[in-house]
Amino acid sequence: MRTDTPVTIYRKDYTPPAFLVDTVDMGFDLDARKTLVATQFTVRRNPAARTTALVLHGRECPLVWIEVNGKRLKEGRDFKIEGEDLTIAEMPDTATVRVVTKLAPAKNSSLMGLYESRGNFFTQCEAEGFRRITWFPDRPDVMAKYTVMLRADRKAHPVLLSNGNLIESGKLPGGRHYAKWEDPFPKPSYLFALVAGKLAVLEDSIKTASGKKKLLQVYVEKQDLKRAQWAMDSLKASIRWDEQRFGLELDLERFMIVAVSDFNMGAMENKGLNIFNTSAVLAHKDTQTDDDFARVEAVVGHEYFHNWTGNRVTCRDWFQLTLKEGLTVFRDQEFSADMAAQAVLAAKGDARAAASARAVLRIGNVMDLRASQFVEDAGPMAHPIRPDSFQDIANFYTATVYEKGSEVIRMQHTLLGEEKFLKGMDLYFARHDGQAVTCDDFTAAMQDASGVDLTQFRRWYSQAGTPVVEAGGEYDAAAHTYTLTLKQHCAKVGVETLPGAPEKLPFHIPFAVGLIGPDGHDMPLQLSGSTTADTHTHATTLVLDFREAEQRFTFVNVPHAPLPSLLRGFSAPVTLSWDASDEQLAFQVAHDSDAFNRAEAMQRLGMRRLLKLTQRAAAGQPLEADAVLPELFAKILADDSLDAAFKTELLMLPPEVMIGEQMDELDATAIRAARVFLIKHIASALKKDLARTYRQLAGGKARAYSPDPVSAGRRALTNMVLAYWLDSGDADAVKAALAQYKQADNMTARLGALAALVNIVPDAAEKPLADFYKRYEDNALVIDKWFRLQASARSTRSRDVLKLARHKAFTLKNPNRMRALVFGFAMSNPAGFHAADGSGYAFWADTIEKLDRINPEIAARMARLMDRWRKLAPALRVQAEAALKRVAQLKGLSKPTAEVIGKSLSI
Ligand code: ARG
Ligand code: ZN
């Protein structure tokens, strides 16, 4: 896998394949140590080709033999292999190619291609895993129909699955059996999948909108069967939602979901056979939290929605990845929001509560975007949502491609409105069903169907970085006008900083605004130059088309000086810079009709204080804080008109990573000191309120567990209030936390109490922590939580993490376990990871060295934990650089890890 000079691939170099493939027939003789794969496929010359040779791809894929039209080929004479390319120069216009390869799934620890996990066989082919199974044109613009024959031991592997429909199965001599599957839809190789093993199945069926009955199956290990129902419920909800909101139906006779413990990502949308990380599919109140339930619903939705956005219409090349991922994330976010709003409406019968439930999801999505994507977009790996180059596509399954990609779709939805957006989707499918296309094809469909000009908007696909929007307002009391001045700027980032990169141009930003009157109510809006007829007369939120570097918008008929509510609902992925006083922000918290902006105003109030405190902490000055936040917190705690979930958002101080991004120099230790100080400052001022609120929340009648957003919101608030109460230093809080831990009848309550204790009062946590391990020893997903909550605790340092890494239950081979400990430490505990002695970086380098030999894709993800090293204070920067250089010099570093480390050191 080692490449001495990293090869960069460019989007502009795309060439269509010389040959198209119509059908693929595969036969697998499955065995852990020696699996033979016989593949036969028919090719014909591509009329659109600009090259003539047939190029097949392979990676760590031992070739037994290859034939064209029945003639055995000889390396050197008939074909050559260079890197991952097998080139056959002399080819007839049509041909049948046969390839036999020999694999050892048990030895494959990369979890790409065909591998073994807990005695079962699984595949993962996206992006370039199919080339680890056989030599084939492994590129997404080659779509073919697959027939797959699986043969395996009947006892060890009773369940045999592949894409599409089961057409035949039966016994074979020697205790073996077979199953033959046929997928009626042409697909790219990255959507191929097989599963073989001992699995239990939960079955159901659904009647689609057009009245056809479809079989639904969730395959899991037997002991997990009781944890499969929520995934099934989520699948059925997803199918309904896609019919109702997008008019898209399930196109297969059966739809299967399979759980696997060893998996690099969340899940994979293989046609008709979605394969899921157990962490994204299993859910039961005793072992999973409310957040886990929400994630399962979102990921089941995400993979199901890919069936149209990704599978029916796929990507021409991997630079277009956001075409399917950004769009599908947008769809899963909307699904979750609609589901939450629906549930709250049913429970409370009140539209305001439903809107607040939606806002909670939006706040969460934006929080994630800022904590991961904004950070990525300011570092060495920054790239546009449609990158222009990469060394290894495995590194581009990023927050930018996914989460910012979703924001870019959301902005189009905002600019077009729901109705025209749906027309655009219809046109996209009408034009491109069954094709492999580009992001430009998508925006063209949106533009053509709506008549909205997206020419400038397309820059969101080609320019990286987070634009900064500066806003200033001026009220003219005599003329009754309010003028909003917006300026945008976006610095070059990542690859854009290399010589020769073009200048950046202004973005088309849909900028949603409202004006709040002195009475706290929204004012009707009328832009100067427009008549009341062409704006909606009653509209109190307007989406401004902000296109220039600097632009003014004047509102007329404004009777009083307003308070502007800017970027409502986070209408664009930008950083808003706006000078508001504490009083204005507090007013906004109390009155903004846009729930997102209410929470945003709270974040600003908190951030302002945290930045000041951090500076003082860094300078060794004593810390002090005013009464603004304690007073606001008290009001919010007592406000019965607020839903619990929304209240929780209001009471959450900005996370450490976001504080770091606001500073020129990253000082994780000072940030930690500042944040803990502010939490304790608020908590001790509110000790009594917190005790009372906690008792109210926890004391209510015990109800049967349900993951719905109203109940989940209540539990989230309970846990948050408990944590603040613990931070107040009240001994009663410790008793309450221990009681909650013991008496909990669900994982959210149990883990909430335990995590708060471990974090805040570690001495009191020892017993419950040991109890937790014993109780859940046999459940890997729960033990992951045990590792994570310790790794991310305030007092944890790298020596503690090293100790946990030596625990008998720890392994680098399982990505969930590895992430729980290593990412839990580096990402959720920056003060521990960036400790002054550099021990965090030494741990990082040592771990990458081991991990890269096991699983390059995951090692490369881990390498990204150092993305922001240039922002560190000089003493730490030196140590970080030394650790990076040490890894860079390792022999045999994998391609994805080498790309990340290389960019970290050179950009
Ligand atoms: N398409 C999958 C999803 O977003 C992600 C698969 C990426 N796999 C990988 N090994 N990089 O649902
Ligand atoms: Zn996806």
Side-chain angles (χ1 to χ4, degrees):
M1 189 134 191
R2 165 79 183 156
T3 42
D4 286 290
T5 35
V7 181
T8 299
I9 305 162
Y10 294 90
R11 182 168 63 90
K12 63 173 166 46
D13 292 342
Y14 172 83
T15 47
F19 286 85
L20 301 175
V21 179
D22 291 312
T23 59
V24 182
D25 279 276
M26 303 185 84
F28 287 82
D29 274 293
L30 290 162
D31 179 87
R33 252 152 267 110
K34 188 184 144 195
T35 288
L36 283 175
V37 186
T39 307
Q40 168 171 323
F41 54 96
T42 56
V43 301
R44 70 186 146 88
R45 253 180 222 289
N46 181 2
R50 302 199 287 267
T51 54
T52 55
L54 174 66
V55 180
L56 311 180
H57 305 107
R59 183 185 297 171
E60 295 171 24
C61 185
L63 178 65
V64 180
W65 52 257
I66 177 167
E67 287 182 1
V68 171
N69 287 339
K71 184 180 149 252
R72 217 38 87 82
L73 304 189
K74 209 176 139 201
E75 185 168 358
R77 184 190 68 195
D78 305 309
F79 67 89
K80 60 177 198 298
I81 296 182
E82 276 168 344
E84 299 185 357
D85 293 0
L86 185 160
T87 306
I88 309 173
E90 302 293 323
M91 277 292 292
D93 290 345
T94 60
T96 298
V97 182
R98 291 170 73 200
V99 182
V100 173
T101 53
K102 194 176 85 183
L103 312 177
K107 284 201 195 138
N108 181 0
S109 61
S110 71
L111 312 185
M112 290 294 289
L114 176 66
Y115 64 95
E116 192 185 29
S117 165
R118 293 169 58 86
N120 296 334
F121 297 116
F122 300 90
T123 56
Q124 170 59 34
C125 291
E126 186 179 5
E128 297 178 335
F130 194 72
R131 63 185 63 187
R132 289 171 174 272
I133 295 174
T134 191
W135 291 83
F136 188 77
D138 186 18
R139 41 187 291 170
D141 56 353
V142 172
M143 296 169 88
K145 280 195 190 172
Y146 285 66
T147 307
V148 177
M149 170 69 107
L150 303 173
R151 294 180 206 89
D153 187 82
R154 210 158 63 219
K155 272 218 194 83
H157 302 105
V159 173
L160 300 175
L161 310 174
S162 190
N163 316 84
N165 301 313
L166 178 66
I167 53 173
E168 218 185 302
S169 65
K171 284 188 187 174
L172 291 169
R176 290 175 79 81
H177 68 148
Y178 74 93
K180 193 171 180 187
W181 291 80
E182 188 179 74
D183 185 352
F185 292 93
K187 64 168 173 285
S189 50
Y190 82 86
L191 290 174
F192 166 83
L194 75 78
V195 171
K198 260 198 205 98
L199 295 164
V201 63
L202 175 68
E203 274 191 7
D204 205 336
S205 67
I206 194 166
K207 213 186 232 168
T208 60
S210 62
K212 285 180 219 113
K213 199 172 158 191
K214 312 281 173 137
L215 174 63
L216 308 178
Q217 298 177 312
V218 180
Y219 288 89
V220 297
E221 286 186 23
K222 194 166 152 227
Q223 74 278 6
D224 289 327
L225 208 48
K226 57 177 176 291
R227 304 187 178 94
Q229 188 59 47
W230 178 246
M232 179 63 87
D233 293 347
S234 300
L235 176 59
K236 287 160 78 181
S238 304
I239 294 173
R240 281 287 166 260
W241 182 85
D242 217 9
E243 289 177 346
Q244 285 162 5
R245 178 112 183 236
F246 283 89
L248 298 170
E249 255 188 53
L250 175 56
D251 55 11
L252 285 159
E253 298 314 306
R254 70 153 93 187
F255 193 88
M256 299 172 275
I257 286 178
V258 185
V260 55
S261 308
D262 298 287
F263 200 73
N264 283 348
M265 317 280 287
M268 179 63 212
E269 70 265 24
N270 318 300
K271 186 81 187 185
L273 180 59
N274 288 187
I275 297 181
F276 275 62
N277 190 323
T278 44
S279 73
V281 63
L282 302 181
H284 188 282
K285 74 171 177 70
D286 293 343
T287 43
Q288 271 69 34
T289 63
D290 296 333
D291 289 346
D292 295 327
F293 274 80
R295 174 152 185 267
V296 168
E297 181 181 80
V299 180
V300 168
H302 180 95
E303 307 311 332
Y304 176 74
F305 304 142
H306 265 315
N307 191 47
W308 280 93
T309 50
N311 300 4
R312 290 288 289 251
V313 182
T314 193
C315 302
R316 185 193 73 173
D317 55 71
W318 291 119
F319 296 102
Q320 320 294 331
L321 182 57
T322 199
L323 171 75
K324 73 178 179 78
E325 294 305 345
L327 179 55
T328 305
V329 171
F330 170 74
R331 276 152 52 71
D332 85 53
Q333 289 177 349
E334 285 297 290
F335 166 61
S336 296
D338 286 348
M339 292 299 286
Q342 228 176 68
V344 171
L345 200 58
K348 298 199 162 180
D350 140 25
R352 191 208 49 85
S356 148
R358 256 175 196 290
V360 167
L361 281 158
R362 184 68 184 136
I363 292 163
N365 293 155
V366 173
M367 185 82 97
D368 291 348
L369 181 82
R370 285 174 169 154
S372 56
Q373 199 278 324
F374 280 23
V375 177
E376 175 167 275
D377 228 349
M381 279 288 290
H383 52 278
I385 64 166
R386 180 193 58 200
D388 289 311
S389 65
F390 54 66
Q391 291 168 25
D392 196 318
I393 181 59
N395 286 328
F396 286 78
Y397 287 77
T398 58
T400 298
V401 165
Y402 277 66
E403 271 69 38
K404 186 176 178 184
S406 165
E407 294 300 319
V408 171
I409 300 293
R410 185 175 297 281
M411 287 191 282
Q412 294 176 65
H413 183 267
T414 302
L415 289 170
L416 271 63
E418 170 83 359
E419 201 182 317
K420 286 181 180 166
F421 184 85
L422 289 178
K423 271 197 187 161
M425 291 293 289
D426 288 346
L427 185 59
Y428 175 63
F429 290 119
R431 283 181 180 171
H432 301 301
D433 190 13
Q435 298 176 5
V437 304
T438 65
C439 298
D440 287 330
D441 293 320
F442 180 82
T443 51
M446 284 292 153
Q447 171 163 315
D448 294 349
S450 67
V452 175
D453 183 357
L454 296 174
T455 317
Q456 183 186 355
F457 183 86
R458 289 183 184 204
R459 286 177 195 157
W460 284 106
Y461 284 89
S462 57
Q463 300 186 143
T466 307
V468 175
V469 174
E470 272 178 68
E474 225 174 290
Y475 182 63
D476 184 333
H480 283 190
T481 60
Y482 180 78
T483 301
L484 185 66
T485 305
L486 299 178
K487 293 183 197 166
Q488 58 166 305
H489 172 73
C490 189
K492 285 188 172 181
V493 289
V495 281
E496 294 173 343
T497 59
L498 299 175
E503 282 315 302
K504 292 176 81 169
L505 298 165
F507 290 90
H508 179 182
I509 298 173
F511 195 87
V513 283
L515 299 179
I516 310 172
D519 61 354
H521 289 298
D522 276 353
M523 299 172 162
L525 301 179
Q526 194 188 344
L527 269 183
S528 149
S530 67
T531 62
T532 35
D534 55 57
T535 63
H536 308 276
T537 333
H538 300 292
T540 57
T541 299
L542 264 191
V543 179
L544 305 174
D545 282 297
F546 173 30
R547 298 166 177 271
E548 317 285 332
E550 178 169 346
Q551 213 170 330
R552 281 159 182 277
F553 299 90
T554 299
F555 296 90
V556 295
N557 297 324
V558 184
H560 308 282
L563 176 67
S565 171
L566 304 172
L567 201 68
R568 279 188 161 169
F570 201 70
S571 62
V574 301
T575 298
L576 177 63
S577 147
W578 173 53
D579 272 325
S581 66
D582 280 357
E583 292 69 33
Q584 286 177 316
L585 289 172
F587 186 80
Q588 204 179 356
V589 172
H591 297 292
D592 202 320
S593 67
D594 185 67
F596 180 87
N597 267 2
R598 288 176 84 172
E600 194 70 0
M602 268 311 273
Q603 291 287 304
R604 279 174 190 272
L605 281 166
M607 184 61 91
R608 191 169 280 179
R609 280 157 184 80
L610 288 165
L611 287 174
K612 260 200 215 120
L613 285 165
T614 302
Q615 270 168 9
R616 296 186 68 92
Q621 292 163 342
L623 303 185
E624 53 201 43
D626 56 36
V628 170
L629 284 182
E631 278 166 19
L632 261 174
F633 269 54
K635 260 195 225 153
I636 292 165
L637 275 176
D639 186 345
D640 290 332
S641 74
L642 295 170
D643 303 304
F646 185 63
K647 224 181 239 197
T648 312
E649 299 298 341
L650 292 179
L651 298 179
M652 183 124 54
L653 291 176
E656 292 179 4
V657 53
M658 286 316 299
I659 307 168
E661 285 304 298
Q662 305 283 311
M663 301 172 52
D664 294 328
E665 200 172 88
L666 182 66
D667 185 340
T669 307
I671 291 172
R672 169 67 54 83
R675 194 163 182 277
V676 172
F677 172 83
L678 188 58
I679 289 173
K680 292 197 182 289
H681 168 76
I682 296 168
S684 36
L686 301 183
K687 199 185 283 194
K688 288 210 185 89
D689 306 58
L690 290 163
R692 190 176 348 103
T693 313
Y694 178 78
R695 290 192 173 116
Q696 268 166 17
L697 285 164
K701 232 191 0 227
R703 321 161 208 227
Y705 175 88
S706 141
D708 72 85
V710 179
S711 321
R714 217 185 142 79
R715 282 185 291 268
L717 183 61
T718 309
N719 282 340
M720 170 167 277
V721 169
L722 176 63
Y724 275 114
W725 188 22
L726 280 168
D727 261 316
S728 77
D730 191 341
D732 284 350
V734 179
K735 281 187 219 145
L738 290 169
Q740 177 174 319
Y741 173 81
K742 251 203 220 123
Q743 289 151 19
D745 81 329
N746 64 81
M747 182 50 78
T748 306
R750 175 156 291 141
L751 191 73
L754 182 63
L757 282 167
V758 171
N759 201 29
I760 303 163
V761 203
D763 290 343
E766 269 172 43
K767 266 202 199 136
L769 195 57
D771 171 79
F772 191 88
Y773 186 84
K774 264 228 239 59
R775 226 181 243 258
Y776 301 108
E777 200 168 2
D778 297 331
N779 190 311
L781 293 175
V782 185
I783 295 304
D784 291 340
K785 298 182 193 303
W786 183 84
F787 276 102
R788 186 179 289 275
L789 75 92
Q790 294 181 75
S792 55
R794 282 177 196 164
S795 64
T796 297
R797 294 294 172 265
S798 44
R799 61 174 182 285
D800 309 305
V801 177
L802 277 172
K803 205 173 138 204
L804 284 167
R806 284 193 296 268
H807 191 281
K808 66 175 192 298
F810 186 75
T811 169
L812 284 177
K813 290 195 177 143
N814 177 268
N816 291 354
R817 187 61 44 94
M818 189 298 280
R819 276 205 180 95
L821 182 65
V822 179
F823 285 53
F825 179 53
M827 291 176 62
S828 309
N829 188 0
F833 183 59
H834 299 286
D837 60 3
S839 55
Y841 310 147
F843 169 71
W844 171 87
D846 293 342
T847 309
I848 292 210
E849 181 171 4
K850 289 181 222 147
L851 188 57
D852 197 49
R853 284 186 223 120
I854 300 169
N855 188 330
E857 189 171 316
I858 299 290
R861 299 236 150 202
M862 199 190 144
R864 300 276 319 267
L865 295 172
M866 289 290 247
D867 262 16
R868 300 300 273 142
W869 72 276
R870 283 184 202 277
K871 270 193 82 150
L872 296 165
L876 271 176
R877 203 187 312 146
V878 171
Q879 309 199 57
E881 185 168 17
L884 277 157
K885 287 196 165 142
R886 209 182 100 203
V887 174
Q889 278 150 20
L890 291 174
K891 272 207 205 77
L893 205 58
S894 73
K895 192 160 71 139
T897 303
E899 175 173 27
V900 171
I901 300 287
K903 285 183 173 167
S904 243
L905 285 168
S906 67
I907 291 183

